[in-house]
Amino acid sequence: MSGFLKKIAFISFLFFCISSCKESSNNASANTSTKNPPEVKTPPTSQPIPKVAPKKECEIKGNILDGNRKVVDGKNALVCIVADKKGSHRKLEIYNTSTCELMKSENLPVNISADFPYLIADIIYNKNSHLVAIKGYGAVYCYDVENQKLMDALIPDFLNERIAADASSGKIKHLEVWENYLIGYAEDIGAFVFDLIDTAQPKNLLPAAEFDLSEGEGEDFASLFFLKSQNEKNTYQAIAPSYDYDNFKFQINPLFETPKDVNISIPKKEQGNRFIVLKMKDKNVFAVDMETQKNVALPDQVKNKTSNEILNWLKKQK
């Protein structure tokens, strides 16, 4: 074959390859478009999303323990606890994350002893509120970023008297911010909740019921709390917090899938029962086993009975 014919054959072959590749690419695109990708929805809003200045990784002078710095989204604020000149981790500092300017600095009271550090809450779930909780040994502090104010010390309180097992009893082992509530657990004492809906007047939210898990020793209680919903009027979420000492794990244990219009008044004579019957305004009924801190499934024929009849039925099941 002459050189000219060889060139013609090569060009024809090259054109064929390019055409085939293009057709394959078009087919692949067509196949991809037939598969519906997951739909990404933007949350509906009636107000424009505010522009927030980009956060900077501010350099903080001084020693900071792991977890003792918290950026508050939407407020350009960095809250941190820094060691003072004596090495005590009790110096509260607030920085502007846009400029890294120190906005506020104050010392928390000595925490049991100078070498016992303050720690920022283990979990902070804030979408509407802007609160940063700080756990001391047996007291809680809360910084209100919205009003740039450190609130007074909060001391856990309980429905029944607690008996200390040893010197470490009452030490706060876990603390969470759940919007306008602080939920925590004190060693050998049990779960506690603070209501911060009105940050000017924070208060202990006492449980609606408490069951003595220590069989009369007064050292370990299961507690049932009702948290008022901020979104729906007259509705509540029921929680029965628990702490797993073996795995160092705290659980809030919400009992309802969504807040319910529930009668939160439990007769005093029933507050210490193992089983608690909760009646809804829509005539639905829930039962809680305080020993396991879980809901108990009720058959339909049982739900229609009186509270006493339901309690008697529950006792026979266990």
Side-chain angles (χ1 to χ4, degrees), residues 94 103-104 106 130 143-150:
I94 317 297
M103 306 295 294
K104 189 176 185 120
E106 61 181 289
H130 297 93
Y143 185 76
D144 182 356
V145 177
E146 187 79 38
N147 298 302
Q148 300 182 19
K149 178 184 177 182
L150 177 66

Side-chain angles (χ1 to χ4, degrees), residues 274-289:
R274 174 181 171 180
F275 297 104
I276 302 294
V277 176
L278 303 177
K279 297 256 180 143
M280 309 292 140
K281 298 295 175 66
D282 62 3
K283 307 301 181 182
N284 199 1
V285 179
F286 281 80
V288 180
D289 184 345

Side-chain angles (χ1 to χ4, degrees), residues 95 211 280 299-300 303:
Y95 288 84
F211 178 68
M280 309 292 140
D300 290 338
K303 290 182 179 180

Side-chain angles (χ1 to χ4, degrees), residues 7-149:
K7 287 182 180 180
I8 293 296
F10 176 75
I11 291 172
S12 298
F13 175 75
L14 183 61
F15 178 77
F16 173 78
C17 290
I18 292 174
S19 298
S20 298
C21 291
K22 185 175 182 181
E23 181 179 358
S24 175
S25 176
N26 289 338
N27 289 338
S29 298
N31 290 336
T32 301
S33 66
T34 61
K35 297 179 182 179
N36 295 325
E39 184 179 2
V40 179
K41 294 182 178 180
T42 303
T45 178
S46 59
Q47 297 179 349
I49 299 175
K51 294 182 179 180
V52 178
K55 295 184 284 291
K56 292 184 177 181
E57 188 63 34
C58 300
E59 182 179 351
I60 310 300
K61 295 180 180 179
N63 184 17
I64 302 178
L65 297 176
D66 289 342
N68 261 357
R69 54 188 295 156
K70 171 67 179 177
V71 173
V72 181
D73 293 331
K75 289 298 174 183
N76 290 341
L78 167 63
V79 179
C80 55
I81 298 174
V82 184
D84 60 17
K85 293 180 180 179
K86 295 182 179 180
S88 181
H89 290 265
R90 64 187 188 97
K91 190 175 182 181
L92 177 66
E93 294 186 342
I94 317 297
Y95 288 84
N96 183 313
T97 55
S98 296
T99 64
C100 291
E101 175 188 1
L102 177 62
M103 306 295 294
K104 189 176 185 120
S105 177
E106 61 181 289
N107 286 330
L108 297 167
V110 173
N111 187 15
I112 290 293
S113 64
D115 60 349
F116 197 93
Y118 281 97
L119 301 171
I120 288 179
D122 304 88
I123 296 174
I124 296 180
Y125 177 78
N126 272 342
K127 282 190 175 180
N128 299 315
S129 64
H130 297 93
L131 304 171
V132 177
I134 302 164
K135 59 181 179 180
Y137 187 90
V140 174
Y141 286 87
C142 193
Y143 185 76
D144 182 356
V145 177
E146 187 79 38
N147 298 302
Q148 300 182 19
K149 178 184 177 182

Side-chain angles (χ1 to χ4, degrees), residues 184-202:
Y185 194 91
E187 186 167 345
D188 300 327
I189 301 296
F192 59 86
V193 176
F194 293 108
D195 178 348
L196 302 182
I197 292 176
D198 182 359
T199 55
Q201 294 182 315

